[in-house]
Each structure stands twice: as C-alpha cells, then as structure tokens.
Amino acid sequence: MSRGFTSSPRIALLAGVMLLSFVGLGVRLVSLHVIDRDELMKFVVKARRQSIVDNARRGDILDARGAVLATSSTQVIVGVDPRGLRKEDEAKWPELARLLNIPLPQLRVIFTTRRVRRTAPPASAPGSSASLALALPEGTDEDAVPAATPLKAAEASPSAASAFTFTLPSVSTPDADGKEDDPEADTVLDDATDDNGYREIGWAKLSDHVDEDTYAKIMALGIKNVYGQEVYRRSYPHNGLAAHVVGYVNKAGLPVTGMEAYADFYLRGSNGWREGERDGRGRELAQFRTRKVPRVDGYTVALSIDSNVQSIIEDELATIARTYQPQKATIIVSDPRTGFILGLANYPSYDLNDYSKPGADGRIDLAAQRNIAVTDQYEPGSVFKIVAASGAVEEGLATPSSLFDCSIDKIEYKGKVRSLPPEDHHFEDPKHVTLAEVMSYSSNRGAAQLAMKMGEDDFVHYASLFGFGARTGFPIGGEIAGTMHTPGSPGWDGQTITRMPMGHSVSVTVMQMHQAMSVIANGGLLLRPQIIRQISDPSGEVISRYDRPAQVRRVVSERTARIMAQMLMGVATTHGTAPEAAIPNFQVAGKTGTTQKIINGKYSDRHHVASFVGFFPASRPELAISVIVDDADAHAPGGVAYGAKIAAPAFKHVAEQLIQYRDIKPVYEPNRRLLVMEGGRQ
C-alpha cells in the first residue's frame, strides 16, 4: 500500500516556497512602506499629485456705447506626448495636420522626435537662445522637414539617428513639484537625462490657437497622447481702431501699452487653482481633490471713446497721410464741458492684433506704437496766442477794441529795445489794429505787445494756469510735460518775451494745446482730460462710475472766456486766417498755427507744423477738435504746410460729420452783441 500524498517531501518543498514567498513579500512591503517610504513618496506625489490652474478671463474694454474694443476669447493649446503614440493612429495624422493647419511633414517630425539635448548658443551670437539637438528616427528625410522649421547644421549624434539642431521659442522642464516653468512652453522635457545628455520630450506644442470647435474634431480622431489646454487669448475686434488708447497684451500675457497697461489691475482678474491626483493616463481623479480656489474674472472697463467718432477721425488722418505724407499727425475730439475724450488718433498707427508685424526693413516699427498726442512736443505757433490775449483781458489791460501798432519792428521793454517778430499777414491799417483783429488776423507783434503789457512774470503765470509746462494727467501713453522757460532760467533771454506769445520758445504736447483751448470753450476752467467712464464687475454691476468733470482750477472768468470765444469766431471768417474752417450757422471758434520746425538748431523755411484747434458752436460749445499735422510741406500747395490750408479743412470735414452723427443743432443768428458792447469792430 503506497503512502499518502501528505507524507511526500514535495509538500514540504511547496510549503517552504510559499513561506519564503510570503516572507519576501513581507520584507518588500516593509521596505516600501517603512524603510524607503519617504523617498518613494516623493515619486508617488510627483507622478500623481497635480496643481491645475483655472485661468481667469481678462475683462473687456468697451467704448462709450458698449462696442467691444478688446476682449478675451477661449482657445486651446494643442500638443502631443510623443512617447506613447500608437502605430494604428498614424493613418489619422494627415487629418490632424489639416485641422491644425500645419504641414504634414512638420507634424511628422514633432510626432517622431522622442529625445532632445540642449546645446549652448554659439559664442559669436551673444544673447541668442539655447538650441535643442533633436534625435530624429532613422530613415527620416531631412528634406521633408518644412522650411518653416529653423534647422541648423547637423551635429554628431551618439545614436544611429540623424541629429538636427533647431531653436525652439521656449522650453520648460518640470520642477520638483512636477509643475512646468511656463504653461505655454513649446516643449516640456522630462527631468531624467541619459548618458549622452538627452532628455525625453514629455510634451510638444502643435498649435496654440485652436478654437473649441476644431479641438472637438481633434479629440474625435482619438489619437492617443494628443490633448490640449484651454487658455484665453486677447483679441481686438476692430484691429487698429483707437490703438494708442486701447493698447495691447503681448503673447506672454503681459499688458504693454494703453488702457491694457493702465487698467491692468481691474482687467486681469485672479487665477484660480485646484490640487488633486491623476491616474496612470493623466486623467484627473475628482474624488481626491484636496483644495480648490475659484478664479475671479477681470472687470470690464468702459471708455469715453466713441467708436464712430474714432472711425471718423482715423479716416480723416488716413486722407491726410495719403494726400500730404506728413511725418506724423494727430486729431483729438472731446467734450469741452466735461473733459472726456471722444476720439484720439495718431498717424502712424498699427494693428493691435498684429503689433509685432515687421515693416519693409524687417523691423517692428515701435515708433508707430507711440501715442504722439502726449509723448511728442512741438512749438504750437499762433494757437498759443490765446494765452496772452486771455491774460490781458482777464487783468483788464485790454478789450476787443484796444488798439495796437503793428507797424513797428522794435519796442522798448524794461529799459531795453527789443525787436518784434515779423508779421505773416497784411493789415489795412497796421498802426491801428484792434485786439479782435490781432486774434482773427493772427498778429505776431500784437501778441508780443499784449505779453509786454502783462509783464513777463504774469504772462508766464497765465501760461502755467492754462496747463503748459505740466502734464495734463491723461492716464495713458507716457505723457511728458513739454518745455516752458521761466524768467531768470537759462532758457529765457531778452527776446523770449517777444517770441513766446506767438508760440515760439515754448514746446507743448497736442493734448496740452487741446486742453488749453477747452478752457475757453467751457467758461474758463482747466479740466483734466478723462478717458474712463465706468468699471463693472463680471456680473455687470458698476463698481466705479466717472461722470463728473475733473476740475483742476479756474484759469479765467466766464466773462473773459466768452469774450475770447467771440474773438476766436473771427478766425473762421473771410476776414480771418482760416475761412476754410467755417461752417455756416455753427459758430466755429478756433485758432490756426503754422510754426517753423527747428532743423539742425535753426528754424527751417521748408518744414512746418500745421495746426487748427477750435470748438463749436461758440455760444454753447459741444465739441472741441484739434488737428495737428507735422511736416507735410513736401506735398502741400506751394511747398508750405499752412495751418489754414492743411489742418483747418480737416477740422471742418471732421466737424461736419460729427454734426450729423451727434445731431448738433445750428445757431442761425450768431450773437455778435458782446463785441459791440466792448467796442469791437464788426
């Protein structure tokens, strides 16, 4: 009778093996969970823990009527992890390339490149970005790589693969917490480096501007390891409209200029984020979320700019540029009663959606991005005569009927004989020119005598009251203060008192000159120019509203402002310097300026700044308009860009369109009574 199976030595062997297995398993568990726990937990956390940023949506910028000037649209950054691609998905690559609008060879290179190695930039190219050596698979056709891929000379590869070097715009390597340095990097590299210095590519960007519908089609293809991340992209629906006011956000998401930079605190919002875990396929495990901070979207900023007004003045600038080819030009439109800017345009300008587009010389025209209305200064010429005239009337030193001898070329002042500037206009009786005629005919000698009546200290004081020599407070564009010398300063000499009243020996910005003319229009108050109307939170609730004039100070009395407005009406008549600006029954008041530019330290006879700054209707002003055209002489009639011939017609053309658009009512009987009462000529 044979022995039972239980007495066999085999059972002992089996039992021993099982015992040893359990002992080994126990030892391994102790090692994993006790001895090496801390070290291994670092890898677990790195592999499974994740912080997901919930990007805030940047607030919109609107015009005065609610039209969108700047907004943020949802787009998807699509990329690929080339390490886990499936052979069976290769047939779908052509359709993916079509959806992404990239050449198939370029997509194939990205998909088949598994490793990269950083290389130092050439010593001869200081400041150049680091390069990456790509290890392409064997058999890759170098000629199949599109020209858009910036390939450089081949370098030796430690493997059998062909190696190419090309520059990537940005490369990111996960840090110790598994977070990327740059969420929009073109390539993300693994930490691990092999013996030859290569790193595996963990993610490579395919496109950074895929819309949601296209992304849905890409996901429907089912290509493994191709995925995307939603981001917000800034866009400007009207392209270059009000470019110098709106400004732009660059590709790194940083506000650079204009309202985008000034109001960034309100516009940018606050990103949210959440912490959690992911599974082996990278999918979020919602049940393991440990912390969540909701995002706060940016606020909406509504401007005083009216897109229709802006379009009118930009069209006019385009006509000026096409006709006269000036060096630069500016038009500003505002409500002089409140100081709110309705339109501000400069030439040259640029497209906010394509701000980095290079010019014909291959360089970005940064000068076109400068808001020259506040960054550049010029000698204002005869428009500046409003300072001496207003000051003299305010001080009781002159009335519209006061007479001045404009035939003399020299005058004594403070015990010294001063030469007077030449006249640009003819007078029927130059020995007896009224103050009203000094303004309408733009007499240089009359303006100089007005300033001398006041005295140099009082004259400069009134120039300061009008805002010259100081920033206006316009919040965007990098405003400068201009240049105004004072008695006793190095820039003030014996002739300054005769030249500054006619707009020489002083430099202003277009915004300063516009603000000063608005003082006359609004009854004698200096108002800070404003551009923001209101700020609303994401729910639409208004948190800040700006609807009141920002008064800086009173410059002259209402009576003086009315007298000045009446005299400035004489400029836009057949007897004034700018009949081209006249609009029947709308009481145009303003002042021309034609000033010589200083070229190589001397006043030039061939380079001028032409201007017309005015408002209407004079008896109840609704709009103030400034037109400044710099160096249009080469294509101007007679080779000289006069304010009356270049700027005044543009003023009229803009004003006529705004009369229709804003339904401004005419004044059928201009009130000339004030000049009669003051003894002025009719």
Side-chain angles (χ1 to χ4, degrees):
M1 185 174 179
S2 62
R3 292 184 174 183
F5 180 80
T6 56
S7 62
S8 172
R10 289 177 293 181
I11 191 63
L13 178 63
L14 181 61
V17 170
M18 292 181 65
L19 178 62
L20 289 175
S21 297
F22 279 109
V23 169
L25 180 61
V27 171
R28 182 58 177 164
L29 288 173
V30 171
S31 174
L32 292 174
H33 290 276
V34 180
I35 300 175
D36 297 329
R37 180 181 184 280
D38 292 341
E39 187 67 25
L40 293 174
M41 280 300 294
K42 294 179 181 179
F43 292 98
V44 173
V45 170
K46 182 176 180 180
R48 300 195 60 168
R49 297 293 299 174
Q50 65 178 352
S51 292
I52 301 174
V53 176
D54 187 7
N55 293 309
R57 182 185 184 279
R58 189 172 180 84
D60 292 343
I61 298 177
L62 310 178
D63 81 343
R65 298 179 179 273
V68 177
L69 299 176
T71 190
S72 296
S73 57
T74 303
Q75 291 191 333
V76 183
I77 301 174
V78 177
V80 61
D81 181 350
R83 297 170 296 184
L85 293 174
R86 299 177 300 199
K87 184 69 175 178
E88 56 267 29
D89 287 336
E90 189 169 349
K92 304 174 184 177
W93 292 4
E95 178 62 12
L96 177 62
R98 187 190 68 80
L99 290 172
L100 293 172
N101 195 28
I102 61 176
L104 179 60
Q106 181 178 337
L107 182 138
R108 191 177 298 277
V109 167
I110 297 173
F111 271 37
T112 56
T113 302
R114 304 288 192 269
R115 299 180 299 148
V116 296
R117 182 183 64 196
R118 288 205 180 210
T119 62
S124 60
S128 59
S129 60
S131 300
L132 297 178
L134 296 188
L136 299 180
E138 287 188 68
T140 300
D141 182 4
E142 299 179 20
D143 294 331
V145 180
T149 303
L151 295 174
K152 296 182 181 177
E155 62 181 27
S157 171
S159 66
S162 301
F164 300 95
T165 300
F166 79 120
T167 300
L168 287 176
S170 57
V171 178
S172 178
T173 303
D175 59 21
D177 297 325
K179 301 175 183 177
E180 298 171 13
D181 299 327
D182 180 1
E184 295 192 17
D186 288 0
T187 305
V188 179
L189 308 180
D190 277 356
D191 280 339
T193 304
D194 65 17
D195 295 338
N196 296 309
Y198 281 89
R199 291 181 179 182
E200 285 193 338
I201 295 176
W203 185 87
K205 183 190 294 184
L206 296 171
S207 177
D208 61 359
H209 53 274
V210 176
D211 59 58
E212 293 178 291
D213 291 341
T214 302
Y215 182 62
K217 295 176 182 178
I218 291 173
M219 290 294 96
L221 293 176
I223 301 176
K224 184 181 179 182
N225 281 16
V226 172
Y227 57 93
Q229 178 182 2
E230 285 190 351
V231 295
Y232 288 109
R233 298 289 188 195
R234 204 62 168 164
S235 62
Y236 304 92
H238 300 285
N239 298 316
L241 189 75
H244 298 103
V245 173
V246 176
Y248 65 89
V249 174
N250 65 17
K251 293 180 179 178
L254 300 175
V256 179
T257 61
M259 192 55 59
E260 291 279 27
Y262 176 73
D264 181 58
F265 175 80
Y266 295 102
L267 291 167
R268 68 172 178 259
S270 178
N271 289 344
W273 55 274
R274 62 184 183 271
E275 287 185 352
E277 294 188 12
R278 57 189 173 188
D279 62 14
R281 295 185 178 182
R283 296 173 299 189
E284 182 184 7
L285 301 172
Q287 65 270 30
F288 292 112
R289 290 180 185 171
T290 57
R291 191 180 304 175
K292 181 177 180 179
V293 175
R295 76 183 192 192
V296 178
D297 289 338
Y299 288 8
T300 295
V301 177
L303 307 182
S304 59
I305 294 290
D306 185 322
S307 293
N308 293 322
V309 175
Q310 186 71 27
S311 180
I312 288 171
I313 64 176
E314 290 192 11
D315 288 346
E316 188 64 29
L317 275 182
T319 300
I320 292 173
R322 185 170 57 252
T323 305
Y324 301 111
Q325 300 180 28
Q327 186 179 89
K328 52 190 174 181
T330 297
I331 299 178
I332 299 176
V333 178
S334 73
D335 183 341
R337 300 163 297 185
T338 63
F340 280 103
I341 304 298
L342 306 178
L344 186 157
N346 298 304
Y347 167 81
S349 189
Y350 65 106
D351 187 338
L352 293 169
N353 288 312
D354 200 10
Y355 61 86
S356 60
K357 180 180 179 180
D361 59 357
R363 299 181 179 181
I364 300 173
D365 186 7
L366 295 178
Q369 299 183 13
R370 194 172 68 247
N371 186 359
I372 60 176
V374 295
T375 63
D376 291 18
Q377 59 184 2
Y378 70 103
E379 287 197 348
S382 294
V383 186
F384 199 78
K385 291 171 182 174
I386 63 173
V387 174
S390 297
V393 172
E394 181 72 9
E395 295 296 324
L397 300 174
T399 68
S401 60
S402 297
L403 296 176
F404 297 87
D405 185 355
C406 296
S407 66
I408 58 176
D409 58 4
K410 290 183 174 58
I411 192 170
E412 185 178 335
Y413 178 71
K414 288 190 173 182
K416 293 183 180 179
V417 176
R418 321 283 173 136
S419 63
L420 294 176
E423 293 286 22
D424 296 324
H425 305 282
H426 173 73
F427 298 99
E428 294 181 3
D429 184 4
K431 291 182 177 293
H432 303 90
V433 180
T434 67
L435 175 55
E437 291 172 330
V438 167
M439 298 307 294
S440 62
Y441 288 112
S442 196
S443 170
N444 296 332
R445 293 174 179 176
Q449 293 177 59
L450 279 170
M452 291 177 181
K453 275 181 173 289
M454 297 173 63
E456 54 193 24
D457 290 326
D458 283 350
F459 169 68
V460 171
H461 172 66
Y462 270 95
S464 299
L465 287 179
F466 270 95
F468 297 110
R471 295 180 178 89
T472 66
F474 190 69
I476 56 178
E479 184 182 25
I480 64 172
T483 303
M484 188 178 71
H485 303 296
T486 57
S489 67
W492 188 280
D493 59 27
Q495 290 300 113
T496 304
I497 189 61
T498 67
R499 298 307 190 264
M500 188 182 288
M502 58 179 279
H504 284 195
S505 302
V506 60
S507 295
V508 306
T509 65
V510 179
M511 185 63 73
Q512 284 178 327
M513 197 68 251
H514 184 86
Q515 181 191 39
M517 184 62 76
S518 296
V519 169
I520 307 299
N522 66 37
L525 296 174
L526 185 73
L527 303 179
R528 179 171 56 82
Q530 298 188 80
I531 194 73
I532 298 178
R533 274 293 188 183
Q534 66 181 35
I535 299 173
S536 306
D537 67 15
S539 68
E541 183 178 351
V542 177
I543 64 168
S544 296
R545 190 186 303 276
Y546 307 90
D547 51 12
R548 295 182 179 179
Q551 181 176 335
V552 180
R553 58 181 167 266
R554 176 163 288 281
V555 179
V556 295
S557 66
E558 291 186 23
R559 175 181 175 277
T560 296
R562 287 198 306 270
I563 293 173
M564 287 298 301
Q566 289 285 336
M567 289 194 293
L568 291 173
M569 283 175 59
V571 174
T573 67
T574 55
H575 300 290
T577 57
E580 295 85 352
I583 304 173
N585 298 320
F586 279 94
Q587 296 181 328
V588 172
K591 193 72 189 72
T592 54
T594 306
T595 184
Q596 296 170 293
K597 294 181 66 175
I598 298 177
I599 306 295
N600 297 325
K602 297 181 179 180
Y603 283 104
S604 171
D605 293 329
R606 301 175 58 187
H607 301 274
H608 297 80
V609 177
S611 60
F612 187 88
V613 183
F615 55 91
F616 68 95
S619 59
R620 47 173 177 79
E622 295 189 35
L623 292 177
I625 304 174
S626 294
V627 180
I628 316 295
V629 183
D630 189 334
D631 214 339
D633 299 75
H635 297 84
V640 178
Y642 290 108
K645 301 299 181 184
I646 306 297
F651 173 97
K652 178 180 180 179
H653 192 221
V654 168
E656 288 176 331
Q657 295 177 78
L658 294 179
I659 287 169
Q660 297 295 322
Y661 172 62
R662 294 176 66 88
D663 193 25
I664 300 174
K665 303 303 181 184
V667 180
Y668 292 104
E669 296 180 359
N671 180 15
R672 307 287 289 180
R673 185 180 177 187
L674 182 60
L675 289 184
V676 174
M677 292 174 62
E678 297 292 338
R681 297 180 183 178
Q682 293 298 299

